[in-house]
Amino acid sequence: MEGAGSDMELERFLFFEHAKKAAESQYAINPLDADNLTRWGGVLMELAQFQSGPECIQMLKDAVSKLEEALKINPKKHDALWCLGNVLTSQAFLASDPEATLNFKKAAEVFQQAVDEDPGNELYAKSLEMSAKAPELHAQIHSQTFNKASPGASGSNVKGSKKKKNSDLTYEILGWVILAVGIVAWVGMAKSHIPAPAPR
């Protein structure tokens, strides 16, 4: 069973790597294609979950950059706004205050813009609703991770171990956030007729 899960993860990774290369190639041909930039930002967000630490954070920053570029071309592009909200939420979960609070606020603003541009979209409405709850979840996670430290434990090995566990929990939560977004991104890319990587 575990091997099957690993195979699926590898397939997902290869799919998104292929989509990233396709977006890069398309960008070289037409840097003003807002749809391509939106796909590229979504793909980078997906690929971030396969990274950890600074690599994950950098990939999310790159995703923000591509999505903001798409929105400069078409400020009313609701799918780019929605995707940007998800990336900002992911960044917020990886940050501590005040950066997290700022990212949650920006995410709520762009989710609201997405809803304004496409009022009938239930996914956008649900994302906006969830964005209001995200700061509280973030606070609970950070509170739990700091409260887990036992009062008598002061050794550097214990602290290092707790930091790693806290970091793992944060990245696991980020993975779930991205997975939810990934399903929608995957469907969107399939609609854009990006060919899947050839089976090996």
Side-chain angles (χ1 to χ4, degrees), residues 34-35 67 69-81:
D35 289 333
L67 293 164
E69 197 173 337
L71 290 166
K72 281 181 187 169
I73 296 164
N74 181 358
K76 295 180 180 273
K77 187 158 182 47
H78 53 83
D79 53 339
L81 288 163

Side-chain angles (χ1 to χ4, degrees), residues 157-190:
N157 285 347
V158 173
K159 285 182 182 176
S161 173
K162 288 189 186 308
K163 268 188 176 178
K164 178 163 181 13
K165 286 179 185 174
N166 295 346
S167 176
D168 289 348
L169 175 65
T170 302
Y171 286 110
E172 188 173 316
I173 290 167
L174 172 64
W176 283 106
V177 169
I178 292 176
L179 177 62
V181 172
I183 294 167
V184 175
W186 198 314
V187 169
M189 282 184 282

